[in-house]
Amino acid sequence: MIALINRFSPFIAGMAAMFSGAALIFTILFAQPLWLTLLVVGFFAVSTFALVWLLSPPDRRSTFVEASKVGLIAGVVATIAYDLSRWLLVTFGQLTYWPFKTFPIFGRSIAGEHLDLATAYAVGTAYHIVNGLLFSVAYCLIFGRRHWAFGIAWALVLEASVLWLYPGWLGIDDLMAEFT
């Protein structure tokens, strides 16, 4: 069993790093508050990562650390580029759907419906940034230093997930062409 975990430990650690995105999927599909799904999925993710870490040899641990560092740096750049491209498309593309409308929804689902708009935006933005960073860390753990085309495929899978889940959740089916 330990040999099997060690063999797949980068994949397992990468999937654990996706916990914030998995929590959102559970929130949308099962109509649960995001704070609850973050807590439950986060507990299992941290437990899984800790187990993989403890069962991994030192050289594998250093690989996890290096991949996580690269992922965090890439995640900052990627999240900024993603948000900037969305802002540019709406601002100069004459689109009407504000791409950051989900931030206060995230914020209120995490910290409570009572939040004022500014605080809801702050909490939701923090969640969005954590997602961007952890998705990048997950990519680096799972795919390592593979060809950049894997990164494009990873981004397309993440974006396809958004296109599949968000319209029904946000009630924007009539804006689907613009949202896409």
Side-chain angles (χ1 to χ4, degrees):
M1 182 65 158
I2 293 174
L4 188 63
I5 290 173
N6 274 326
R7 180 167 185 211
F8 293 103
S9 62
F11 178 79
I12 296 167
M15 293 307 291
M18 296 283 293
F19 86 91
S20 61
L24 181 60
I25 291 171
F26 285 117
T27 290
I28 293 170
L29 294 179
F30 301 109
Q32 296 299 312
L34 188 52
W35 69 265
L36 178 62
T37 60
L38 280 169
L39 186 67
V40 172
V41 176
F43 171 78
F44 285 107
V46 169
S47 299
T48 300
F49 189 85
L51 180 65
V52 167
W53 179 269
L54 292 172
L55 295 177
S56 294
D59 62 321
R60 180 60 59 94
R61 290 179 187 172
S62 65
T63 302
F64 289 162
V65 170
E66 288 305 311
S68 296
K69 286 179 185 176
V70 170
L72 288 172
I73 293 167
V76 169
V77 173
T79 303
I80 291 170
Y82 177 70
D83 288 341
L84 180 61
S85 68
R86 294 188 312 155
W87 179 81
L88 288 170
L89 280 170
V90 170
T91 303
F92 299 108
Q94 299 177 348
L95 301 175
T96 59
Y97 186 78
W98 185 242
F100 309 107
K101 181 180 179 179
T102 57
F103 290 6
I105 296 169
F106 294 152
R108 287 185 173 130
S109 187
I110 292 169
E113 293 298 322
H114 65 281
L115 288 184
D116 63 276
L117 187 59
T119 306
Y121 257 107
V123 172
T125 301
Y127 172 74
H128 169 73
I129 292 167
V130 166
N131 271 344
L133 297 176
L134 290 179
F135 290 167
S136 200
V137 167
Y139 173 84
C140 289
L141 287 166
I142 294 169
F143 295 108
R145 298 180 179 267
R146 290 202 171 81
H147 191 272
W148 58 265
F150 280 84
I152 299 297
W154 179 257
L156 290 173
V157 166
L158 293 175
E159 195 60 27
S161 299
V162 167
L163 291 173
W164 170 58
L165 291 167
Y166 278 31
W169 178 52
L170 298 173
I172 59 168
D173 291 322
D174 54 335
L175 293 171
M176 190 58 184
E178 182 177 324
F179 185 72
T180 304

